[in-house]
Every structure is written in structure tokens, then in C-alpha cells.
Amino acid sequence: MTLARVHGIALVGLEARHVRLECACTQGLPGLRLTGLPDTTVREAEDRIRTAIQHCGLTWPQQRVVANLAPADLPKVGSGFDLPLAVAVLMASGQVPELAGVWAVGEVGLDGSVRAVPGVLPAAAGAREQGARRLLVPDAAASEAALVEDLEVVAVADLAEVVGVLRGIRPARFAAPAAAAIDRVGPDLLEVRGQPMARRALELAAAGDHHLLLTGPPGCGKTMLARRLPGILPPLDADAALEVAAIHSVAGERPPDAPLAMTPPLREPHHTVSAAGLVGGGGGVPRPGELSLAHRGVLLMDELLETPRWVLDALRQPLERGEVCITRARARVRYPASVLLVAATNPCPCGNLGSPSRPCACRPDRIERYRGRLSGPLLDRLDLQVELRPLERARLTGPPDGESTRVVAGRVAEARAAARRRWGPGARCRDATPAQLRRATAPRALAALARAIDALGLSARAFDRCLRVARTAADLSGDELVGVEHVEEAVAYRLPVVTAAP
Ligand SMILES: [Zn+2]
């Protein structure tokens, strides 16, 4: 009796775990018996693999096939075990040689084709970490897996090719990684007219990682501005880009052959998004939601006040912790979710409040209720709150009146470098402690801030949040000490949003 051993990968969130597949042909009625906590998809593999093996002119053993997936306590989910299982059956029945160290991931179709599954990138990275030298991967996901260093990725189209490669009678096709997209692509700030305060808020948000609220009537440029934020953020480094790509791979949102994106991601969930769609969830092992897909980038929540309150409440904890934690009966999954939140909203239900041309038809109590949907704790976390006015027609068609993305990105990079010099690598103004902030603030500025907070009736937490924004403003102007002017600017972004009718 031959005991075949093949290696696969189970993903729990982004975490890849080694799964050993042991397979033997024994006396008994033909059929496959799977042990080791396979889910329904894995159990259904028998039908797919048997048909595929026969379709490729190979033989399904006329014996009882026993396959065990170890460790037994780890749930095995999805169709990515098809390929290692098929190889194990072929090995156990002597149709391919008994090789050590065969690692594989992929789904097998009835016609024998090998198909991509979500999460090939983190699976390949995990395989490498667990000692794999070579990995069999579906053609469609091969360039993605090849992003992992020191791993030979063999692209396979179907079972016939797999058998040919393992028998040594067909050359292995080694995959090369798709080149990294280093060019910064995306819309330029130069295309935005007017709105100097909102532009400045965008720059502050990018320099200090402050969350941003843009309020204004439809068509005033809220979305246009927000979409230009990833362009002024520093590009991702190689590790961060791989991490972002891995999340998108697990979510099945990575197009095959997509190059590694170095620009921070931008996600724009619709306001009808469910809590699971936003935070993550779904059956089996939970999938990442929009918050994690926007990790290290920008989450744009347009029409924020149209989003149900309980969905908004689901945002709070991840915003604070920078990660999402989902607990299921069989698995506890963590996905990173460190995002820059840009919330955009109309000033009132009809959207016309503050518009010089169109009258607002909303009753004051309706406006109050509308704005009340933005809960205090979430509003508190939006350090930069800007009210945008509609632009005059002449401004819209006139020449560019602001700076380009390149110029602003340069200042942002310098301000972030200043924060790192002061507080160490990876430091951001958003995470600075109150003590750190006070140490680098002029006493006169602290007093001015205390007076302003009192006058506006803001919370004690708002004091430190304003001080963080002031620190970012000082870094943008190259000042070591936070002065009165920086504090005044920070407070201006905290003014209660009140729009007087024209
Ligand atoms: Zn209105």
C-alpha cells in the first residue's frame, strides 16, 4: 500500500496554515473517504476530481481511497484542496511518481482544468514560510503567486499538465510576477476648482492620517476631492503593497495578472452596504469587508447620513483599533483595517441648504434629526470637518486655481518624515499621545486652545484631537513648536456644522 503525501494550505483570514494530505488505496468498495474536518465544498471534491481524472484519460482507482487532511482540528474550507487531493489520489494509485515536497493549490473542474481560487497570494506566501520550494498553481493565479520571493511557481492549466510535469515528461512552466505598478495613476488635484479649505483639509488628512468629513450640496466636489486623496498619500512600500494585495486576493477582488499596486487603495462602498459588507463576514471563514479592502488607503463613505445608524456604529471599533475581528463558531478571523475615512454628506435631506440658487425645502427639526444620525462618538473621530459651498459657474470653467497632486504630495511626504524624526519610525500624528503633543506645543497655544474648546462646548477628547491636527499643520509648515496659528487652524475644522440659509 502506498501512502501518498501532498501539501496544501488552509486560509484563516490572511493567516495561512499548512495542511498535510495523506492518501492511500485500500481494500473495499471504490469510493473516497475524506477525514479531517472538510467542509461541504471539500467533501464535494470527490465528484469533481473523479470526473476530472477520467476526463483526462487517467484512471480512478477501483479500490477504496482514504484521504486524511491534517491537522484534524483546522477547518478546511473551499475548493482550493481539489488540486492537492487529485495529486494525492494519482500518487497513491501509482499514476504519478511518489515525490516528496509537492505543494499545490487550486480548484479542479469536471473537464480536468485547474482553476483559480481566492487567496492564492497569501496561500503562496504561507507555503513559502512553511518550507515549500515549489508550488503548483492555476494558470490564472500564477503571476499573483509569483509575487512571493524564493518560491518556484509552476503554472498548470489542467490535470494532464500536472501529471506530465510530475512524471518529468513535460517542462514546468515557471511563472514570473506581474511588474509592480510604480507609476502614480489617478485623478489630479489640479482638476479641482476652488474649495481652498477642503483642499487644505485633504492635505492635513494625508499628512497626519486624520479622518475627514465633507459636508455640502450635491455637485460641489466632495467626491471629486476625496478621490484625489490616495494620490497625495505616500506610495505603499513593497511589504505594504503585498499585504494589501493579499487582502484583495482573499476577497476574490484581485483581477488575474494585475500588477502589484503601489498607490494606496480607495474604496467607495454604496450607502446601502450591509454591516457584513462593510466590516467583513459571510458564511464559512468570513471574508474581508470594505474596511479591510481599504486597508492602508482611503475609505470613502459618500451619503454618510443615508447609511443606517447601526452600520455606522459598526465602523467605530475598527477605526479605533485599525483591525477587524470576526468570531465564528469554528474560526476567529482578524483582518487589518487601518484606513483614512472620508465621510461625505449633504447638508440636509434635500441637499440644498446653503445653496445660493436652490431653496432648501427642509423643516429645521428634520435637518436636526438628519444630522443627529451621525452619532457623537463617530463625529468625534472626524478630526477635520469642512463645509463646502457650491462654486460659481465662472470658477468651474476657469483655469486651474490650485496646486497639483505632485506638489501637495511632496509637502505631505515632508510632514510625515518630520513626525517620524520626532516620534520614531511608523509614527503618525493621529496616534500621538497627549503628553507627546503637549511637549511640543507653545504654552500660549495651549491656552488659546483651552479657551476655544470652552467657547465651542467641545469635549475633553476634542482638545487632544485638535492638538493632533495642529501638530500636523505645524509639520506641514516645518515648525518644531505648535503655535497659536496652528491651533486656530485646527479649531476651524471643528466648528459645529451650521449652515445659515442665504
Ligand atoms: Zn434641505
Side-chain angles (χ1 to χ4, degrees):
M1 185 184 79
T2 306
L3 184 66
R5 287 196 182 85
V6 179
H7 307 274
I9 288 288
L11 282 180
V12 181
L14 288 185
E15 199 188 324
R17 309 257 187 93
H18 179 193
V19 172
R20 294 183 306 279
L21 292 96
E22 294 155 340
C23 185
C25 298
T26 61
Q27 293 301 317
L29 290 172
L32 176 68
R33 179 165 162 71
L34 269 179
T35 57
L37 217 58
D39 82 334
T40 328
T41 337
V42 180
R43 275 196 302 262
E44 286 165 359
E46 178 182 358
D47 300 330
R48 286 195 297 274
I49 294 170
R50 182 202 295 263
T51 316
I53 284 180
Q54 289 166 343
H55 193 271
C56 293
L58 300 153
T59 321
W60 182 263
Q62 288 306 303
Q63 284 171 295
R64 184 171 172 75
V65 181
V66 183
N68 181 45
L69 285 71
D73 59 343
L74 179 70
K76 286 86 183 175
V77 180
S79 48
F81 293 105
D82 284 9
L83 184 56
L85 204 52
V87 173
V89 170
L90 292 170
M91 217 181 255
S93 57
Q95 298 179 78
V96 299
E98 240 182 288
L99 300 166
V102 176
W103 291 70
V105 60
E107 181 182 306
V108 173
L110 295 178
D111 58 354
S113 60
V114 178
R115 297 169 185 167
V117 289
V120 165
L121 175 55
R128 179 67 199 93
E129 254 168 48
Q130 311 276 349
R133 300 255 151 228
R134 185 183 270 205
L135 179 68
L136 299 173
V137 168
D139 248 342
S143 65
E144 176 179 321
L147 293 170
V148 177
E149 284 181 5
D150 290 333
L151 180 71
E152 283 183 357
V153 172
V154 177
V156 288
D158 53 30
L159 276 187
E161 183 171 14
V162 173
V163 169
V165 169
L166 292 177
R167 282 179 182 165
I169 53 173
R170 266 177 87 160
R173 290 186 291 124
F174 294 108
I182 294 162
D183 290 345
R184 304 297 296 267
V185 282
D188 200 287
L189 267 176
L190 209 57
E191 296 148 10
V192 180
R193 304 286 193 272
Q195 310 296 7
M197 189 169 178
R199 278 167 174 277
R200 172 68 177 172
L202 220 57
E203 185 172 336
L204 284 162
D209 283 298
H210 304 289
H211 303 309
L212 176 63
L213 172 67
L214 302 172
T215 306
C220 67
K222 292 172 294 194
T223 315
M224 199 176 172
L225 276 159
R227 286 186 182 148
R228 282 154 179 78
L229 184 50
I232 59 171
L233 284 168
L236 303 173
D237 63 25
D239 285 346
L242 266 179
E243 184 188 24
V244 169
I247 298 170
H248 288 244
S249 170
V250 169
E253 295 233 0
R254 242 192 138 258
D257 294 327
L260 195 59
M262 309 309 266
T263 303
L266 167 73
R267 299 294 297 190
E268 302 181 42
H270 191 255
H271 63 78
T272 55
V273 67
S274 66
L278 189 59
V279 178
V285 171
R287 285 157 41 105
E290 292 290 338
L291 259 166
S292 295
L293 291 165
H295 176 56
R296 293 185 183 271
V298 176
L299 180 70
L300 169 57
M301 300 281 290
D302 212 349
E303 309 281 351
L304 185 77
L305 295 184
E306 305 294 335
T307 312
R309 174 79 175 259
W310 58 278
V311 175
L312 294 182
D313 286 342
L315 268 176
R316 266 167 44 201
Q317 213 179 44
L319 282 184
E320 205 72 353
R321 293 191 181 165
E323 68 168 14
V324 166
C325 188
I326 309 162
T327 307
R328 288 282 186 279
R330 277 179 168 179
R332 189 180 164 82
V333 177
R334 281 171 199 284
Y335 286 115
S338 180
V339 303
L340 192 46
L341 174 67
V342 180
T345 179
N346 288 339
C348 67
C350 83
N352 291 337
L353 187 65
S355 161
S357 52
R358 277 176 277 172
C360 167
C362 311
R363 289 208 320 266
D365 60 321
R366 259 199 88 202
I367 296 177
E368 204 171 308
R369 264 209 313 282
Y370 182 73
R371 294 192 172 183
R373 271 187 234 163
L374 193 57
S375 70
L378 183 57
L379 191 63
D380 241 15
R381 285 175 174 81
L382 300 168
D383 289 339
L384 300 162
Q385 301 168 12
V386 188
E387 182 122 17
L388 288 85
R389 298 299 178 114
L391 282 183
E392 308 97 62
R393 202 169 295 272
R395 259 289 186 55
L396 281 172
T397 50
D401 53 1
E403 291 167 313
S404 70
T405 290
R406 200 175 53 79
V407 171
V408 180
R411 275 200 303 271
V412 167
E414 275 174 33
R416 293 175 79 105
R420 285 196 300 273
R421 278 197 298 276
R422 188 170 52 245
W423 291 323
R428 306 178 299 179
C429 285
R430 187 167 87 193
D431 306 325
T433 65
Q436 283 176 327
L437 291 164
R438 282 175 178 74
R439 226 175 288 143
T441 306
R444 273 188 337 117
L446 283 174
L449 180 57
R451 279 196 304 275
I453 294 287
D454 264 355
L456 292 170
L458 292 173
S459 68
R461 188 155 53 173
F463 185 93
D464 290 325
R465 292 193 165 266
C466 279
L467 209 47
R468 286 196 183 101
V469 174
R471 177 68 262 172
T472 304
D475 281 343
L476 277 170
S477 53
D479 292 316
E480 269 307 310
L481 208 60
V482 174
V484 174
E485 70 275 27
H486 306 124
V487 161
E488 280 171 352
E489 182 177 13
V491 170
Y493 288 107
R494 273 278 165 177
L495 293 177
V497 182
V498 178
T499 314

